[in-house]
């Protein structure tokens, strides 16, 4: 089936300078799974802006790790 085809494509030798062969959408799916597991990375300036807004509007930021 489809899983076997994707596995075969992923196991194909990659071109020089490339890590592996992937199918369309695979990189995005891998990123989605990573973000679900580890969260969405935020720059320090974005975090500072969110903290400032949360304090200004008395809205707690429960996702901030202290």
């Amino acid at each position: 089936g489809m899983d076997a085809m994707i596995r075969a494509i992923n196991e194909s030798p990659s071109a020089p300078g490339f890590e592996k062969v992937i199918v369309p959408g695979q990189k995005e799916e891998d990123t989605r799974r990573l973000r679900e597991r580890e969260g969405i990375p935020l720059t320090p300036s974005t975090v500072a802006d969110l903290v400032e807004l949360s304090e200004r509007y008395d809205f707690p930021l429960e996702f901030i790790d202290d």
Side-chain angles (χ1 to χ4, degrees), residues 6 10 18-35:
I6 292 171
N10 289 160
F18 292 88
E19 187 175 320
K20 64 180 184 175
V21 179
I22 60 174
V23 298
Q26 188 171 356
K27 182 178 178 181
E28 292 80 6
E29 179 63 18
D30 291 347
T31 299
R32 183 190 66 79
R33 288 181 181 157
L34 176 68
R35 298 292 185 254

Side-chain angles (χ1 to χ4, degrees), residues 3-65:
D3 289 339
M5 184 179 72
I6 292 171
R7 196 169 28 260
I9 291 170
N10 289 160
E11 292 170 357
S12 299
S14 61
F18 292 88
E19 187 175 320
K20 64 180 184 175
V21 179
I22 60 174
V23 298
Q26 188 171 356
K27 182 178 178 181
E28 292 80 6
E29 179 63 18
D30 291 347
T31 299
R32 183 190 66 79
R33 288 181 181 157
L34 176 68
R35 298 292 185 254
E36 284 183 349
R37 189 174 59 248
E38 298 181 12
I40 299 171
L42 300 173
T43 64
S45 64
T46 298
V47 172
D49 290 344
L50 291 171
V51 168
E52 191 272 323
L53 288 168
S54 95
E55 291 169 354
R56 181 187 310 169
Y57 296 106
D58 193 31
F59 188 85
L61 291 178
E62 297 173 2
F63 62 90
I64 299 293
D65 292 330

